[in-house]
Amino acid sequence: MSDVQSVVDAAERAYRSGLSRTPAERRGWLESMSHALDAERDELIAIARDETHLAAARLGGELTRTTFQLRFLGAEVVDGTHLEATIDHADPTWGMGPRPDIRSIRRPIGPVAVFGASNFPFAFSVAGGDTASALAAGCTVVHKAHPAHPRLARRTAAILIEALRSAGAPDGTFALLEGEDEGVQLVQHPLIKAVGFTGSTRGGRALFDLATSRPEPIPFFGELGSTNPVFVTRSAWQRRSQEIADGYLASVRLGRGQFCTKPGFIMVPAAVGAPQVIAHAAIDQPDEPGLLLSSRLRDSFEGALDALAATDGVETLLGGPSGDESAPLTLLRVDATTVLENPELLEQEAFGPASVIVEYRDMAELDQLSTLIGGQLTSTVQGEPDDDLGALLPALAERSGRVLWNAWPTGVTVSWAQQHGGPYPATTAAGTSVGAAAISRFQRAVAYQGLPPELLPLGLRDDNPLGIPQRIDGILTLPAKGDDGR
Amino acid sequence: MSDVQSVVDAAERAYRSGLSRTPAERRGWLESMSHALDAERDELIAIARDETHLAAARLGGELTRTTFQLRFLGAEVVDGTHLEATIDHADPTWGMGPRPDIRSIRRPIGPVAVFGASNFPFAFSVAGGDTASALAAGCTVVHKAHPAHPRLARRTAAILIEALRSAGAPDGTFALLEGEDEGVQLVQHPLIKAVGFTGSTRGGRALFDLATSRPEPIPFFGELGSTNPVFVTRSAWQRRSQEIADGYLASVRLGRGQFCTKPGFIMVPAAVGAPQVIAHAAIDQPDEPGLLLSSRLRDSFEGALDALAATDGVETLLGGPSGDESAPLTLLRVDATTVLENPELLEQEAFGPASVIVEYRDMAELDQLSTLIGGQLTSTVQGEPDDDLGALLPALAERSGRVLWNAWPTGVTVSWAQQHGGPYPATTAAGTSVGAAAISRFQRAVAYQGLPPELLPLGLRDDNPLGIPQRIDGILTLPAKGDDGR
């Protein structure tokens, strides 16, 4: 029996065993994982520094976010809003004919495969959002480790497994697998019911194709790529050029540009010297030295810079391929007319500290640019209250998961409203991998018709023992507050 | 320019134009469609009788359900629960670091292709649940007519288009296309953003494969097939054998067995003569004469009966292939042991008035049967309050969209809790094609970060001008009731 088979069998058994556990118990598992990771903070950050070349402060912030996320999603398990409990009592006068008693609630879909990303060794890796939300949904997780941080993956997994065991979760609730072949087998295994993935468009699409061509296709929640364009209005540039240049550069440089939400393009008004202002601001704040996550990523980064610079009219203002191990801040410049003639430029993601400054002449060009961008995780407007934005915001909402106003796309908060996912290729399916709504990707609804109260799931009983929101005969109804204020 | 191109272009323009319309306007469109169909009731039923061979009473009930569904989903548009409006105010004390103001709401995904079914010429066809829920979501619809009822499809479409026009909807909000090639082009058209489908497993899977292999894959909400097993406990049979036999036969016979929720298998206790009781009840209530929907369906039906009878141990109690145009009630019988050795039997759907009686010896066999069924729209238990059901109900919930207790699966009410969709092959994606939740299949969430109130969608403003539920800083909050009691 292969490793994959035994690990998935254990995940299946743990999933079934977990179905009878209470929301409070499940919250306890997530909190136990959170506390166990916090307790090993120094050791984890040290391993991560060694394997990723990321700075300790950056890694510390990411670990804080990761353990917060586990507690946040644990609280959601008990809150129960995501269960969408719905109760329709029998109604002999119903408009289409008598209605039976019918009630529905969301339930977990089964063991889930999660593929970690290299650029977030904590928050989108072993203990990241896909793992946390799948466990919160009631699923079990088999995590395919990213080969860029194997020691960290193994250590994190060992901590999680021990934390789950000590909190009373069934053995097999979480497991780690390594190896590319093993990942492929995992996606094709009949007991695996969904996949969470963060990574490259090419690798993600290949796994997506595997997931959808199975005899039983399964949902593939993949985050593949995004160039996160920023649109600066003429008046915003006139009033805040230095602030915008500094904010943009900070966002491009954060984590050496290795964020899926890094602004890859900024559209600025022409004929005001914006590229020069930005380049000077960059020179005033010299690069901190540092390597990219891996030499493979550095090679892709340099390849992407070459591809961008190969288009006539694209000039390199700063940086460019270094020819050595380093990856300096790289700024390119191009006229909007060139982009409008070569719209495929807008889809070229250079994963690393590079971004393209696009000079537009008028709002017509800005509008055209906004309709040529592909599916995005984020789009941003830097504007002023009195700007006439025309159709800009609707065009961006059409193509993006998150639309920002006078903010920068890097730094993704974990909250109820967060949406980290957008039209293809940003993600392969509707849904978010960050925030409370991430849970529902790993659930589906089941309706129960005519069941006596003692056979119903607790969340669907009239006496609402779980204290969750219920939509009753069409009316959203909040639970009565208990002694503890809930 | 092909028909498909011009129709999809118009659907895209109508979609964009519709984005600025209010929920109340959109509700008006759905109500206008409902009233217009009701006004042409006699004519529509006459055409449908002629093309489908279904009885007038059956078609009348279906049309009532269809026009009710349009009004029901229209009311949902205004209710706004499905928008999942979520407001997180900025919070400098947030556990992972300061949180910006971020708000999310669901929005339509674009023009949708809908493929009608032959067996529900109203409720799952031109004006059916997929069309109604896509329009309620804010999408536009291009409907591919089913070739089994072309005149009805054209007449229904003409009524809908005129009703939409008279209610002020943009031209192109709904359109009809005919032809198999046109259907394929529709699924592959870059401006089409989702597909709703009800039909055969083979045809549905082929279109699913097209949808997921596009350069930009799109969600395919296909309902493919279901055998809707019924599990009768020994004590239920002992106490209510005649009632169960009659209820089962009525459900199998309804609409000449041409329902996706027809019980294809009934598991009964062995050694109590259950197959004979059922066969006698069938003979006591002779078949009403009538044809199946089409000669193509009749051929498939007879082929499915031959395939079932080809397994050693399956015997035909009643009916069987007729060799002529008719499709008589057909009952087959088999021991559970034979099914456990040939579990693929349980996936053989005979679309028409046929069902298989499976005799089980003990609860262990019943449990085993419950774990061998594939993904189902429905599963049913006929039981008694004092039955020890073991793991039966969890096993059925695991594999089904709807679980029934002492009821019959045909007759699918349209309500908030309805779930018509289950694990593959019942449906190709999570979601329901009936009920309020059908709307959300055609929407996705967008988050807005840092937007001033005047730039936010109405549903995300603090003053809540749409009067919809909002989750505010994690707390689900109901709208203040207005003068009209809303």
Side-chain angles (χ1 to χ4, degrees), chain B residues 283-307:
Chain B
I283 293 163
D284 284 350
Q285 299 157 17
D287 256 6
E288 288 172 33
L291 302 174
L292 293 191
L293 289 159
S294 67
S295 55
R296 195 173 138 204
L297 263 184
R298 195 213 51 236
D299 293 346
S300 322
F301 177 62
E302 301 211 338
L305 295 184
D306 288 338

Side-chain angles (χ1 to χ4, degrees), chain A residues 186-412:
Chain A
L186 200 54
V187 171
Q188 295 181 305
H189 196 290
L191 291 175
I192 292 292
K193 297 303 183 190
V195 182
F197 172 93
T198 307
S200 72
T201 301
R202 210 182 50 185
R205 181 64 194 247
L207 289 175
F208 170 88
D209 290 343
L210 279 184
T212 54
S213 60
R214 290 165 39 127
E216 177 195 354
I218 54 174
F220 184 90
F221 299 101
E223 180 191 320
L224 307 191
S226 184
T227 59
N228 308 294
V230 177
F231 296 79
V232 183
T233 67
R234 191 166 288 274
S235 57
W237 183 262
Q238 282 166 346
R239 293 182 210 174
R240 302 185 276 117
S241 59
Q242 199 60 47
E243 174 199 325
I244 290 170
D246 290 344
Y248 164 65
L249 288 167
S251 190
V252 170
R253 277 172 157 156
L254 199 68
R256 299 207 71 73
Q258 300 166 107
F259 285 124
C260 43
T261 54
K262 179 206 72 180
F265 291 85
I266 187 167
M267 322 299 180
V268 295
V272 292
Q276 291 68 36
V277 172
I278 294 171
H280 282 133
I283 293 163
D284 284 350
Q285 299 157 16
D287 254 7
E288 289 172 33
L291 302 174
L292 294 192
L293 289 160
S294 67
S295 56
R296 192 172 142 206
L297 263 184
R298 196 213 50 235
D299 293 347
S300 318
F301 177 63
E302 299 211 338
L305 294 183
D306 288 339
L308 280 165
T311 299
D312 273 353
V314 177
E315 56 175 313
T316 302
L317 292 181
L318 203 70
S322 65
D324 61 23
E325 289 297 302
S326 70
L329 176 68
T330 298
L331 296 174
L332 303 111
R333 194 212 71 82
V334 63
D335 286 329
T337 46
T338 301
V339 176
L340 296 176
E341 284 160 16
N342 304 275
E344 68 284 358
L345 272 176
L346 290 169
E347 289 167 26
Q348 291 191 20
E349 183 177 2
F351 199 78
S355 190
V356 182
I357 302 166
V358 180
E359 289 189 284
Y360 68 85
R361 284 176 301 192
D362 50 27
M363 273 306 285
E365 279 193 348
L366 199 65
D367 271 348
Q368 280 182 280
L369 288 170
S370 75
T371 64
L372 287 176
I373 60 169
Q376 301 290 345
L377 291 171
T378 74
S379 295
T380 298
V381 177
Q382 291 282 342
E384 293 294 316
D386 50 356
D387 279 328
D388 177 4
L389 296 171
L392 183 59
L393 280 173
L396 300 185
E398 182 79 36
R399 292 164 178 80
S400 315
R402 181 163 53 112
V403 176
L404 299 92
W405 175 262
N406 290 348
W408 299 99
T410 45
V412 181

